[in-house]
Each structure stands twice: as C-alpha cells, then as structure tokens.
Amino acid sequence: MSRARADEEEYWHSSKFRAFTFDDEDDELSQLKESKRAVNSLRDIVDDDDDDDDLERVSWSGEPVGRRNRLPSFQSLSNALSDTGVKNYAPELRRPKAEYKDYSSDWSPKDTVKRMQRGKVCSLERFRSLQDKLVLLDEAVAGHDGNVITAVLIFLKRTLRREILFRELEVRQVALCHLIHFLKETGEQKLLLDLLRFLDRTEEVALSQYREHLNIQDVEKRREFLKGCIGLPFSAEDTSHIQDHYTLLERQIIIEANDRHLETAGQSEIFRKYPRKASILNMPLVTTLFYSCFYHYTEAEGTFSSPTNLKKTFKIPDKQYVLTALAARAKLRAWDDVDALLTTKNWLGYTKKKAPIGFHRVVEILQRNNAPVQVLQEYVRLVEDVETRLNLATKYKCHDVVIETYRDLKDRIQLTAYKCKVERGSAEEQNINSILNNTQIRWKN
C-alpha cells in the first residue's frame, strides 16, 4: 500500500461516512472526514418497480442535458414508463388510444421526439425496423432531453436483441452513458454486467460486483463476499482498498465479539462508565480508530484492538492518528494522555511538544471538551503565530498568556488596556502591575 505523501491526505479525507459518536451533541469526532475513497462510498442500488400497464405516463419536462450532461431522475422515470410507450402526467394531455392511433402513423422519428419533449402522448410501437429505431434514438440524443433519451432506450431494450443493442450503443456514447446510469439506478444488475463485459470494461464489472456487498446484511457472509472480491480485476489502487476493507471488517468482528463479552460481563470499568451506543461492525476506518483510542488506548500493539496496531496495519498518517487520538482522549478528559501524545523525545533524550495538526487545532479540540484553563494555557503558549495566540488566549480567558505576550511585545498600551479585563485584586492584576512597574523593560509605546 505504498503511496506518495500527497495522496495520503486525500486518501484519508474523502469519505462521506458519518463518524461514530458517543452522545447526541456535535463534537470533534463529527468533523472527522472518513478515510477511504471510491470503493467505500458506493451508494445502494435502487430497486425497480415493474408496471404492466399498456400505456404509461411520464413528464418530459426538465432541463436539457447537452453540454451539462444532466441525467434524469430514473427512479421516478422507471416507475412511470412502460415498454410500449409514454404519456404525460397532466390530465389535460390524456387522450383515448383511438385518437392518437389515427395520427401516429404519420409521425417521423423527429416529430415523435418533438412531441415527447412537449409532453404529448405518443407510442413508439410503429418503429419496427432497426433503422427506424436507430434514427429515433439519434433524434432523441440530438434533442438533449435526458428523459426522452431514456424512454427511447427502454423501448429499444425491450424490442432489440442484447447483442444488437450493445453493438449500436457502443458507437453512441451519450446514449450508452444514459443506459448505464439507468441500469445502475434501477438495479438491473445482470443486464448491466453483460453490457460492461461486452464493452470490455473489466474494472467497472468488478466494481459493480463489489457493490453487491451493500445488500448483504449478515456480517460473516459480507466478510466472505469481500474476500472473494479481492481477486476481481480491479486496478492496483482499488485492489488495495478492497483488501483493506476486508481486513478492517475481519478486525471489527473480532473486536466486537470481545467487547460485547466484556460489556455484558461487567468486567471492564470503561465499559461500565461509558456504555457503547453502537456496534463497531461496518464502521469506517477513522471511526474504528476513534473507538480503539477511546476504549483500548493502553493496549499493547500486538492486540487487534490496539490503536497503534490499527495505525501500523492501515498505514494511517501521523496527522490523522494524532487528530483522532486527541479527540478520543480529550473526550475522556485524560489530560495526561493528551500530554504524552503531543510530547516527543530526540536522540539526546530531550523532550518537546509537537503537534502535526497545529497547536491552534489542539486548543480548539481541548476547549470543546471543557479542558481546564491550566491545560489550555499550556498549549495556547505553543501557538507560534502571535496574532492567533492572542486571539485564542483572549477568547478562552487564558489571562497569563495574554499578559506574557504583551510583555514580550513590549506593548505597554495593550497591557494597560487588558488590565481592565481581569478581576480587580486578582493575581493577574497584580502580575500586570508588577510588569508595568518594571523599569528594566524598554517599552515600545
């Protein structure tokens, strides 16, 4: 899973999954973006509803697709179309079949498409030859109306053999795009796979098959299905994602079984104090890492539920790991763990504070979790940008940091003005007076 560092940031910040949370209020975890890209964000397939009416109705209104490539809402469209024709939802446009049959034989493909675009009643059954059907399709594409294109495709899908339909669509990319999208939306998986195989789009075939895991509710069956997906003809990057997905679910099954036992038996203090509100199964990677940092932070790397084991197994970047671990430990108000997380030691044995996410982010996370002023001040002092440091210190009433900063800037006016913001007779006021009376300081104003 070797990746360039530039790709790592996108890799861990592009999912749409909502993270796990332990209460009903917004917290730092709700802002954590999920980890994996394409294969972990595939949507559920929409089921199609068959309709046996001889003549269906559909509204053909809508913006043209053309350059904007607008695709119609296929779920509602598939419920409104039949294989034999189309009709409009508006009551005033309804006509007896006998009425339109008198004139339908005179409509050319171009006229038919224009009527469909205006919402008029029409039947496509009169187009019997392959040539007429293809001309009808070409006119629909030229009209740039996605609903009309799809209606014609539904008619061709019913009246042409698959190999002929596929062959003709291969040289009509706009129509092909509409059909593929329609089949995905309506869940016609078998036809979609046949089409993709005909087009030799092996990776799309693999991704379409992978999408089926969303329909598998049993976790063991889903795990076995994902294991089988690893051998499908994905790209190298997608193969890596699939492997990670399988490994993560396998890990979650083990963690879930163990933690459920501990929670039920009442053998763990943290589970007694903070009962779980959701299962870890099928959760995204960053959510799993947060869970691990919350419940299993001190475990040795050799255990599957250890945060450091997850970090190593899935090659989680330091920035993402620190952000997630900090959010979890701050939620527990474990300030010693926060201190250790942000402390590094060099080869000479000297220690210093380091925050790959920036100390301003550290301060914001700690403040959201109601860290005491003494803890906040320690990290506000480490914000390098003076203006940002002063803003944070003022906002969170870290008086000592504000006083020290104005002293170091030799700004007598601002320090004097700040004296009005502290409590009279307080230690902070005494400190300000002491600094203002210090004759050794060469004030700038």
Side-chain angles (χ1 to χ4, degrees):
M1 273 184 63
S2 60
R3 295 180 176 84
R5 187 168 187 81
D7 291 333
E8 281 187 342
E9 297 303 319
E10 182 185 0
Y11 181 85
W12 293 104
H13 292 276
S14 58
S15 165
K16 298 179 179 177
F17 281 97
R18 187 177 185 277
F20 181 85
T21 184
F22 291 86
D23 55 33
D24 295 328
E25 299 179 354
D26 292 336
D27 55 30
E28 177 62 21
L29 180 60
S30 67
Q31 300 181 13
L32 295 177
K33 299 298 182 183
E34 188 21 41
S35 46
K36 300 291 185 178
R37 276 207 301 264
V39 297
N40 283 340
S41 61
L42 295 170
R43 298 186 303 153
D44 290 335
I45 299 172
V46 180
D47 292 332
D48 187 22
D49 292 329
D50 294 330
D51 200 322
D52 296 326
D53 291 345
D54 291 334
L55 191 66
E56 299 299 316
R57 294 184 294 154
V58 68
S59 171
W60 299 111
S61 62
E63 298 176 353
V65 286
R67 297 177 184 173
R68 299 175 65 183
N69 293 323
R70 184 187 67 83
L71 294 175
S73 176
F74 290 123
Q75 185 176 6
S76 60
L77 181 60
S78 63
N79 292 334
L81 291 174
S82 74
D83 291 330
T84 59
V86 299
K87 59 183 178 181
N88 197 281
Y89 280 121
E92 65 272 19
L93 293 179
R94 298 179 186 176
R95 297 291 186 272
K97 293 182 180 180
E99 181 178 344
Y100 74 75
K101 284 181 179 179
D102 290 339
Y103 302 99
S104 63
S105 60
D106 297 330
W107 299 339
S108 67
K110 188 172 184 178
D111 292 335
T112 300
V113 169
K114 286 183 177 180
R115 287 182 62 83
M116 294 169 71
Q117 288 176 326
R118 295 197 302 268
K120 301 295 183 179
V121 178
C122 58
S123 173
L124 306 182
E125 290 298 326
R126 64 173 298 270
F127 300 104
R128 298 185 181 279
S129 70
L130 175 61
Q131 181 179 357
D132 286 346
K133 292 174 181 178
L134 295 178
V135 171
L136 179 67
L137 178 60
D138 292 338
E139 289 292 344
V141 171
H144 302 300
D145 190 312
N147 285 339
V148 175
I149 295 171
T150 304
V152 174
L153 285 170
I154 291 173
F155 170 65
L156 298 185
K157 181 168 70 74
R158 184 182 67 85
T159 59
L160 292 178
R161 293 203 307 271
R162 287 188 178 186
E163 58 270 21
I164 296 177
L165 177 63
F166 293 170
R167 182 190 69 206
E168 296 299 336
L169 289 180
E170 190 173 15
V171 295
R172 293 172 171 82
Q173 289 298 307
V174 173
L176 177 63
C177 175
H178 276 74
L179 182 60
I180 290 175
H181 188 73
F182 175 76
L183 295 177
K184 288 179 179 179
E185 289 294 314
T186 57
E188 297 184 58
Q189 187 74 358
K190 186 178 187 305
L191 182 58
L192 175 62
L193 291 176
D194 288 344
L195 175 57
L196 294 176
R197 291 190 184 100
F198 175 86
L199 298 170
D200 199 29
R201 297 186 183 181
T202 56
E203 289 185 24
E204 290 184 56
V205 172
L207 284 172
S208 185
Q209 289 182 259
Y210 166 79
R211 183 184 287 115
E212 287 298 304
H213 85 272
L214 296 170
N215 298 322
I216 303 174
Q217 300 302 317
D218 183 87
V219 68
E220 288 292 344
K221 291 181 179 179
R222 179 179 285 201
R223 181 180 67 85
E224 288 303 313
F225 179 85
L226 290 174
K227 185 177 182 180
C229 288
I230 296 173
L232 295 176
F234 293 105
S235 65
E237 184 178 25
D238 282 343
T239 297
S240 178
H241 292 332
I242 300 295
Q243 176 67 64
D244 281 350
H245 190 171
Y246 167 74
T247 303
L248 178 62
L249 182 56
E250 190 175 44
R251 182 74 58 88
Q252 289 172 341
I253 291 172
I254 296 172
I255 296 173
E256 176 67 20
N258 183 64
D259 287 1
R260 189 188 301 116
H261 172 73
L262 291 175
E263 188 173 33
T264 302
Q267 298 176 356
S268 173
E269 181 181 353
I270 192 167
F271 286 118
R272 290 197 303 269
K273 190 173 182 180
Y274 301 98
R276 301 186 308 154
K277 292 188 176 181
S279 166
I280 195 63
L281 295 175
N282 297 314
M283 289 292 181
L285 177 56
V286 168
T287 306
T288 306
L289 178 61
F290 181 94
Y291 178 97
S292 179
C293 289
F294 193 94
Y295 287 112
H296 302 282
Y297 192 67
T298 59
E299 289 185 9
E301 185 178 326
T303 62
F304 283 149
S305 51
S306 162
T308 52
N309 188 303
L310 286 171
K311 180 178 187 294
K312 182 178 180 180
T313 299
F314 297 99
K315 296 181 172 57
I316 301 175
D318 287 342
K319 186 175 182 179
Q320 180 67 70
Y321 179 81
V322 170
L323 179 63
T324 309
L326 178 63
R329 302 319 292 172
K331 185 127 185 115
L332 288 168
R333 302 177 64 80
W335 311 126
D336 289 342
D337 290 341
V338 169
D339 182 75
L341 180 67
L342 300 173
T343 301
T344 61
K345 182 182 294 186
N346 64 17
W347 63 279
L348 292 174
Y350 295 106
T351 61
K352 68 173 184 177
K353 293 288 191 297
K354 181 180 178 182
I357 62 174
F359 282 107
H360 65 287
R361 294 287 309 279
V362 172
V363 171
E364 291 169 355
I365 294 170
L366 295 180
Q367 192 277 332
R368 283 196 200 101
N369 288 278
N370 301 313
V373 173
Q374 293 79 4
V375 174
L376 280 179
Q377 287 193 148
E378 180 179 358
Y379 297 101
V380 172
R381 284 190 179 98
L382 297 173
V383 176
E384 292 186 8
D385 182 75
V386 175
E387 184 177 354
T388 303
R389 188 195 318 147
L390 278 172
N391 287 338
L392 289 172
T394 303
K395 181 178 180 180
Y396 300 134
K397 294 182 171 52
C398 297
H399 299 307
D400 289 348
V401 178
V402 177
I403 295 168
E404 292 166 6
T405 303
Y406 285 140
R407 179 199 63 193
D408 295 342
L409 292 173
K410 297 180 174 58
D411 193 332
R412 185 183 184 92
I413 293 177
Q414 291 294 339
L415 183 58
T416 302
Y418 195 75
K419 181 179 176 181
C420 300
K421 298 181 180 181
V422 300
E423 187 177 347
R424 295 194 62 178
S426 65
E428 289 80 11
E429 184 185 53
Q430 295 175 18
N431 188 17
I432 292 175
N433 288 332
S434 176
I435 294 172
L436 291 174
N437 294 328
N438 188 340
T439 59
Q440 301 298 318
I441 300 176
R442 297 183 178 182
W443 300 101
K444 291 183 178 180
N445 50 37

